[in-house]
Amino acid sequence: MTLILLALLLWAAGWTLNATLANGPARQSRAVHLAVPLIFGITLIAMWELITRGADVPTVILPPPSDIAVTFGNNLPMLWADFVQTILKGALSGYIIGNGAAFLTALLIDRSDYLRRGLLPLGNFMAALPIVGTAPILVMWFGFGWQSKAAVVVLMVYFPMLVNTVAGLSETTGMQRDLMKTYAASWSQTLTALRLPAALPFIFNGLKITTTLALVGAIVAEFFGSPTQGLGFRISTSIGQLDLALVWAAIVTAALAGTAFYGLVSLLEKRATFWHASQRKH
Amino acid sequence: MTRFIPPLVGVLLALFALWYIAVVPMNVQDTLTRAERAGVTVTPPSAVERRDTGALALVFGNTHALGESWSLDRPRLPAPHQVVAELYKSTVDEELNGRRGLARSGSLSTRGLLHHALITLNATALGFLIGTGLGILLAVGIVHSRVMEMSVMPWAIVSQTIPIVALAPMIIVVLYSVGVQGLLPKAVISAYLSFFPVVVGMVKGLRSPDSMQMDLMTTYSASTRDRLMKLRLPASTPYLFASLKIAIAASLVGAIVGELPVQKGGLGARMLAGSYYGQTAQIWAALIMAAALAAVLVWAIGAAERATLKRMGMAQ
């Protein structure tokens, strides 16, 4: 009981601290912008710990974060193997193939108005469909290895990326294209000098959206069959053994991988599109 | 609109043609085994040898024995007409003629696809409502409280980069062990997936009135409540609908994935069952049902969007 009271007190203290920081004199500073969400996150985790221990929540329902951290630390080699299997082999290879194929298709479509008008509505439609549903079919075709996961990821990332790239390629204004025409620029010169740079913000938007989709595809596909490693496999088998701490450790791994993956693409975007309005400092 | 239809039909026809062609190499092993049993000579003659031969080589070596490619019982890739037949059998035929169908028993057959689609639809809709409601509430809170914005918003953005679906089986099993089962666990996952697009979109939308409009509210000495009800919420409508379209699609994915761990019906359960028993046509039929469901849901929100924006005088 005291632990639960302590949790409530901690919540009040954390919130008050954040309120004073956020409304205080230093509210525009970088440090405060970093500190406030951190304090909020730490408060939540501390409350989770105190409440699960205070109310004796069975670990098969919700293990305390300290247990999860210990499990994570103890199983690092296994989780690393899962990471390699799911993220590097399944998600990353599918991500590269899918986005590459979508990019090439977009270039192809771009040359033909007929194809653009035919494929674009279809692409928009497909981008809204629950494509994860193809996972059982693809697992049946490509086996339990990483290839089937990569195939699911390819299908999941292809259409959002296609739609974004096509939108990006039509981003230039008539004036700019006319200028290229007066320079007697060929199609490929116009593409590399004008249209691809103009499309970059859209392409990166597609790349960022598809990072999460790639991980979701790779993990869900493992629920339908996988070798004896991989994050999706770990999650589904550990649930069967009611080892919730390990499930959470696998989820933490997936979350860290997802955030790092997204961060990496955003970093690339910052480097590549520093000139774009959305990247400039105000 | 008419500008798009001929190319779209062309592309779709091309895709179906490709599908029919792809059926042949995908199913060639089974087709040749059946042909061999029927007494046709195939090269190479034994199944073991054929297993090690490439699909294309088999197709071109046995062009005379491929007749059954499109009518196998358990094909690796069913032909489009087989999928349509399965769809018909498990919807119209099952309901009209089946022992447990709508016509005989007065309720949807538990073996039919419509029953499962309805289960998924219920979870999707409930989750979507919960997620959207909470999302709008949180967005209103974020816009009005600086502390809330600074504490919650970064986490809302980070959470977008996390494969949340990984949590699905755990949520189901945990809620199941607490005694909650049926619709709610799946709806929780749907709500979770549809929650963040709505928060992010609505925060943008509630902030969309420019300073001129906000100044006007100040000169009217409007209260915070009036500002919200008369300026911010109406101004956020286009943003709301844009996020709702994303949210409903995410919600459907959540419901389908939520149905995988507990086999209590729904399109996700149907897919998994099909994958266990090698009923490919059943998986494809469930997949097409899910696609149709997604299309109808997104279309319905689009229609609501057009009608609302038109009434509000905001349509382009």
Side-chain angles (χ1 to χ4, degrees):
Chain A
M1 202 57 218
T2 45
L3 285 178
I4 293 176
L5 274 179
L6 202 62
L8 293 177
L9 269 177
L10 192 74
W11 171 256
W15 194 255
T16 325
L17 181 60
N18 267 351
T20 32
L21 277 178
N23 298 315
R27 63 185 183 188
Q28 298 296 349
S29 74
R30 237 188 115 74
V32 169
H33 271 272
L34 219 65
V36 170
L38 270 184
I39 294 171
F40 181 73
I42 292 169
T43 318
L44 275 190
I45 292 178
M47 282 181 66
W48 173 358
E49 176 85 34
L50 291 173
I51 290 177
T52 44
R53 292 207 182 280
D56 272 328
V57 177
T59 48
V60 291
I61 292 179
L62 189 65
S66 55
D67 274 13
I68 297 167
V70 168
T71 314
F72 185 78
N74 288 342
N75 292 297
L76 270 184
M78 187 173 79
L79 288 171
W80 173 253
D82 291 343
F83 168 82
V84 170
Q85 171 73 23
T86 305
I87 312 288
L88 296 187
K89 286 189 188 161
L92 194 63
S93 56
Y95 180 78
I96 292 170
I97 298 171
N99 280 324
F103 181 75
L104 292 180
T105 318
L107 288 186
L108 195 77
I109 291 180
D110 184 62
R111 301 222 64 172
S112 147
D113 191 46
Y114 183 84
L115 276 183
R116 187 167 63 233
R117 278 187 287 159
L119 275 175
L120 210 54
L122 197 67
N124 271 317
F125 174 68
M126 295 294 282
L129 295 187
I131 295 188
V132 256
T134 56
I137 296 168
L138 291 169
V139 169
M140 196 181 292
W141 287 355
F142 294 99
F144 284 180
W146 62 269
Q147 292 87 345
S148 57
K149 280 75 203 174
V152 176
V153 173
V154 167
L155 277 189
M156 283 192 78
V157 305
Y158 183 80
F159 293 102
M161 184 64 184
L162 180 70
V163 171
N164 268 289
T165 312
V166 170
L169 284 176
S170 53
E171 183 56 10
T172 49
T173 61
M175 194 85 100
Q176 291 167 329
R177 283 195 299 271
D178 283 350
L179 181 68
M180 296 310 276
K181 211 163 203 171
T182 56
Y183 290 161
S186 66
W187 181 81
S188 60
Q189 283 172 324
T190 316
L191 189 71
T192 47
L194 170 66
R195 301 182 58 216
L196 273 187
L200 272 185
F202 287 81
I203 294 176
F204 272 107
N205 188 33
L207 287 177
K208 283 200 290 192
I209 297 172
T210 51
T211 51
T212 321
L213 289 179
L215 297 199
V216 168
I219 291 176
V220 172
E222 284 181 0
F223 296 157
F224 286 97
S226 64
T228 54
Q229 53 184 8
L231 292 171
F233 167 80
R234 193 67 57 210
I235 290 169
S236 52
T237 48
S238 304
I239 284 178
Q241 300 159 353
L242 287 182
D243 188 355
L244 268 272
L246 191 54
V247 176
W248 276 98
I251 287 171
V252 168
T253 315
L256 287 177
T259 315
F261 196 3
Y262 188 89
L264 216 62
V265 177
S266 313
L267 205 68
L268 267 179
E269 179 186 26
K270 271 209 172 97
R271 285 286 169 82
T273 63
F274 57 90
W275 45 268
H276 191 256
S278 64
Q279 299 294 336
R280 276 187 241 133
K281 295 246 160 62
H282 307 294
Chain B
M1 199 60 206
T2 49
R3 217 164 61 85
F4 283 100
I5 288 177
L8 191 58
V9 171
V11 167
L12 282 177
L13 282 180
L15 281 180
F16 273 111
L18 264 180
W19 187 346
Y20 269 108
I21 295 169
V23 165
V24 179
M26 285 300 285
N27 296 333
V28 71
Q29 300 279 2
D30 266 3
T31 315
L32 292 186
T33 310
R34 286 178 65 90
E36 189 188 3
R37 278 183 202 148
V40 184
T41 44
V42 291
T43 49
S46 83
V48 182
E49 281 173 280
R50 282 200 298 272
R51 202 175 306 144
D52 299 328
T53 319
L56 284 180
L58 284 180
V59 171
F60 289 114
N62 298 290
T63 37
H64 58 282
L66 296 172
E68 278 194 76
S69 293
W70 297 280
S71 54
L72 288 174
D73 228 10
R74 292 184 177 188
R76 285 180 77 198
L77 175 61
H81 67 260
Q82 288 178 297
V83 178
V84 171
E86 167 71 23
L87 261 176
Y88 179 83
K89 196 180 83 157
S90 55
T91 53
V92 181
D93 192 36
E94 179 71 29
E95 301 307 341
L96 289 183
N97 305 323
R99 195 162 52 81
R100 279 175 275 184
L102 191 58
R104 300 253 174 99
S105 68
S107 62
L108 288 175
S109 165
T110 47
R111 286 170 58 202
L113 205 49
L114 289 178
H115 167 78
H116 292 281
L118 208 62
I119 291 180
T120 305
L121 181 64
N122 279 339
T124 307
L126 183 62
F128 175 73
L129 287 181
I130 298 174
T132 311
L134 289 179
I136 293 175
L137 280 185
L138 186 67
V140 170
I142 283 176
V143 169
H144 287 102
S145 152
R146 228 188 122 67
V147 200
M148 220 159 158
E149 184 200 352
M150 287 175 77
S151 322
V152 178
M153 214 39 196
W155 293 110
I157 292 167
V158 168
S159 73
Q160 294 276 287
T161 68
I162 296 172
I164 297 173
V165 171
L167 289 168
M170 193 189 59
I171 294 176
I172 300 275
V173 171
V174 165
L175 287 181
Y176 190 81
S177 67
V178 194
V180 183
Q181 46 177 309
L183 205 55
L184 200 62
K186 291 186 275 176
V188 167
I189 297 163
S190 288
Y192 204 63
L193 283 175
S194 56
F195 176 69
F196 290 107
V198 174
V199 172
V200 175
M202 274 306 274
V203 167
K204 225 184 222 169
L206 291 172
R207 291 243 165 87
S208 65
D210 57 29
S211 51
M212 194 90 96
Q213 293 165 323
M214 292 305 279
D215 283 349
L216 182 67
M217 293 311 262
T218 314
T219 57
Y220 290 160
S221 86
S223 64
T224 316
R225 203 189 124 89
D226 282 338
R227 273 172 208 251
L228 179 68
M229 299 309 287
K230 293 185 173 150
L231 177 58
R232 286 190 193 271
L233 277 181
S236 69
T237 320
Y239 294 85
L240 176 66
F241 278 110
S243 337
L244 288 187
K245 278 190 212 159
I246 302 173
I248 193 99
S251 208
L252 183 61
V253 171
I256 289 176
V257 174
E259 282 157 358
L260 296 181
V262 179
Q263 293 287 303
K264 286 274 170 65
L267 292 175
R270 190 91 172 172
M271 285 173 196
L272 196 60
S275 118
Y276 280 160
Y277 302 118
Q279 296 288 349
T280 33
Q282 187 185 321
I283 307 180
W284 280 92
L287 198 61
I288 283 175
M289 202 63 181
L293 207 55
V296 168
L297 289 173
V298 173
W299 172 83
I301 289 185
E305 176 182 27
R306 278 189 297 278
T308 315
L309 291 187
K310 203 169 166 191
R311 267 194 85 104
M312 292 174 72
M314 289 166 100
Q316 292 89 354

